[in-house]
Each structure stands twice: as C-alpha cells, then as structure tokens.
Amino acid sequence: MSQVPLLKIDNLSKVFINQTGLFRRQKKTAFYPLSFTLERGQTLALMGEAGSGKSTLAKVLAGVLPPTQGSVYIDGEKIEPGDDRKRCQLMRMIFQDPNTSLNPRSRIGQILETPLLLNTELSAEQREALVLNTLRMVGLLPDHIHFYPRMISTGQKQRVALARALILSPKIIVADEAISDLDVSVRSHIINLLLGLQSTLGLSYIIVANDLGVVRHISDQVILMHEGHVVEAGPTTKVLAAPQSEQGLRLLQSYSNEFRWHAPGSKHY
C-alpha cells in the first residue's frame, strides 16, 4: 500500500467577488484549480510574478483565506475550511514583513504564548518552558521574552515569527517571501536555520520565493505560476534546468539576467 502524502491539495482554487454596483459583481480569479502533494521533510517553492496567485495560494493553504473550491488533506485527513484550531496545529504561516505581522504592543513572550493559550491546555509553567525552549531553537535568548518587537532587529523579528510558527509543533510551515526583505548575511543565517530545523524536526516547507538561488538550494519541488495558472511543476532540478513551456522559460529568465542552464545543487546555502 502506498504511503499517504503529508499534504495533498485537490482541485483547489480561489475567486474573489467584488461588488461594483447595486446589482453588479466582478469576479477575479486569483488562481485556477490546481492539485499537488508534498512529502514529509520536503520543501515546495511557489514562484511567479506579481499577480500570479502564489501569495494568495499560500494564504489559502494556511487558512488565512478560505478557498472557493477544492480540498486540503494533511496525513490523509481532510481539513475543513473554518477548522482553524486543527489547521493551525498542523500548518503555520510566516508572513513577509515581521514589522507588521508582530504586535508592537506585546512583548515577545506574550506573542509566543498566545497560540499556546488558544490551542493547548498547558499550565503557565509548561507554556513558559516551551516559549523559552522555542526561543533557543531559533537562536534567540531567554531574556528576549521581555523585549518588544521594536527593540530587536528585523532579522531577529523574523526569528520571533519563526518561533511563533514553531510553537505548536506543526508539520508544515508556509513562508510568504519571509526572507526577501532581509539583507544577504541575515538571509543566509535564516536559511541555514530553516534547513537545520527541517533536518532536526522533519518539517515540510511551502515557500513563496522569487530568488532563483534560494529556490535552487533549499527546495525539492517547485511550482511556477502565471496569471493564476500553473505553467510548470515538478522536481526543482528538472524545472529549473529544462522548463517545458515557453511561459516557464520566460518566468525563469525574468528572475535573473544571469540565469544559466544547469541543474541545482544540494540543499544548502
């Protein structure tokens, strides 16, 4: 009997409907029906130009937005739209800008404790121990529980966002361009942290990214999107080395004027 994939997406789509007049509605398709699977310990990269639907897909997967149609299965179990508690225990999201995704009025300890208060029955002592352990896991200090987000760097804020995503021990983390605003040295540290956590915890990642170098080094699978359609999908080595569609080729070339035809290397950065 074949193993059930960690994540299975079946015929998922998202359409936005805007009221443009008293009796008129305008439909805009963010992404058309698509299906894919993700295995344990693997990374899937979503790529595409602005408006391709990749970020909307990430938000639908993480439950931030409801799908128009389709199903999400984790470990063979269907996750119903609106079942936020189950979904957020299995799949968590890191947003692009930690300066806006972290509550500036809450201390870091409170930011990390909130998911535990909402989703677990842990005691105050157990919550504190888990918060401190998770801070250490992402390379921060126990004293950071007393800090406000404004007191730390952008790179440290993204580590807090990662800690918040990890705090419920999810199986999948969705990252919407979570490293794109970081400078090169900080980005390298965060990527190494993500890969280390993946190796240690067996995490799977879905990353929205527009950096060919990052995608080449950390992803196992890649989906290229254009105007809501999937134009390429498959193993990263295969898609980046030899895209099968003209649109896929144009997309890859648009990411870098120095795009070269060679197979990606191993998962490191």
Side-chain angles (χ1 to χ4, degrees), residues 144-179:
H144 278 119
I145 62 170
H146 304 297
F147 287 36
Y148 289 95
R150 66 176 180 274
M151 300 167 67
I152 59 177
S153 69
T154 299
Q156 289 174 317
K157 289 176 191 174
Q158 203 59 294
R159 288 176 186 263
V160 173
L162 175 58
R164 181 174 60 183
L166 289 169
I167 198 78
L168 293 175
S169 300
K171 297 184 177 184
I172 303 165
I173 289 181
V174 180
D176 185 7
E177 298 195 54
I179 59 174

Side-chain angles (χ1 to χ4, degrees), residues 75-252:
D75 272 341
E77 182 178 1
K78 185 175 181 180
I79 308 300
E80 299 292 346
D83 193 349
D84 296 331
R85 180 161 183 163
K86 180 182 291 184
R87 186 188 297 257
C88 75
Q89 288 177 324
L90 297 170
M91 186 185 302
R92 302 279 286 166
M93 188 166 188
I94 307 172
F95 295 93
Q96 180 175 358
D97 185 4
N99 294 302
T100 57
S101 66
L102 301 178
N103 187 342
R105 293 180 294 278
S106 294
R107 297 181 189 270
I108 288 169
Q110 295 171 303
I111 290 171
L112 298 186
E113 187 182 25
T114 298
L116 299 176
L117 286 167
L118 295 174
N119 295 282
T120 75
E121 305 297 329
L122 297 176
S123 67
E125 292 78 12
Q126 290 171 321
R127 292 195 303 272
E128 182 180 10
L130 185 51
V131 165
L132 293 175
N133 184 60
T134 307
L135 280 174
R136 293 188 190 97
M137 196 182 299
V138 300
L140 294 174
L141 300 172
D143 283 349
H144 278 119
I145 62 170
H146 304 297
F147 287 36
Y148 289 95
R150 66 176 180 274
M151 300 167 67
I152 59 177
S153 69
T154 299
Q156 289 174 317
K157 289 176 191 174
Q158 203 59 294
R159 288 176 186 263
V160 173
L162 175 58
R164 181 174 60 183
L166 289 169
I167 198 78
L168 293 175
S169 300
K171 297 184 177 184
I172 303 165
I173 289 181
V174 180
D176 185 7
E177 298 195 54
I179 59 174
S180 63
D181 289 342
L182 305 176
D183 66 48
V184 174
S185 62
V186 176
R187 186 184 308 175
S188 177
H189 287 303
I190 296 294
I191 288 172
N192 285 329
L193 174 61
L194 290 171
L195 292 177
L197 291 169
Q198 186 174 51
S199 177
T200 303
L201 304 176
L203 290 167
S204 294
Y205 296 127
I206 297 173
I207 62 166
V208 177
N210 284 319
D211 186 314
L212 276 177
V214 171
V215 170
R216 179 179 293 117
H217 284 292
I218 74 172
S219 70
D220 303 282
Q221 303 283 328
V222 63
I223 290 176
L224 301 184
M225 300 181 69
H226 174 68
E227 295 182 351
H229 295 279
V230 173
V231 295
E232 298 276 345
T236 303
T237 52
K238 184 176 180 180
V239 171
L240 296 193
Q244 299 299 298
S245 68
E246 183 179 344
Q247 186 61 54
L249 173 58
R250 285 202 300 267
L251 277 172
L252 290 175

Side-chain angles (χ1 to χ4, degrees), residues 12-14 16 28-32 34 36 46-61 65 93 176-177 206 208 210 223-230 251 255:
L12 198 69
S13 71
K14 178 62 179 177
F16 291 104
K28 176 176 172 50
T29 301
F31 60 88
Y32 294 87
L34 53 79
F36 63 85
L46 304 176
M47 302 183 74
E49 71 274 80
S52 64
K54 61 187 187 301
S55 288
T56 302
L57 171 58
K59 290 173 183 175
V60 170
L61 293 174
L65 295 172
M93 188 166 188
D176 185 7
E177 298 195 54
I206 297 173
V208 177
N210 284 319
I223 290 176
L224 301 184
M225 300 181 69
H226 174 68
E227 295 182 351
H229 295 279
V230 173
L251 277 172
Y255 284 120

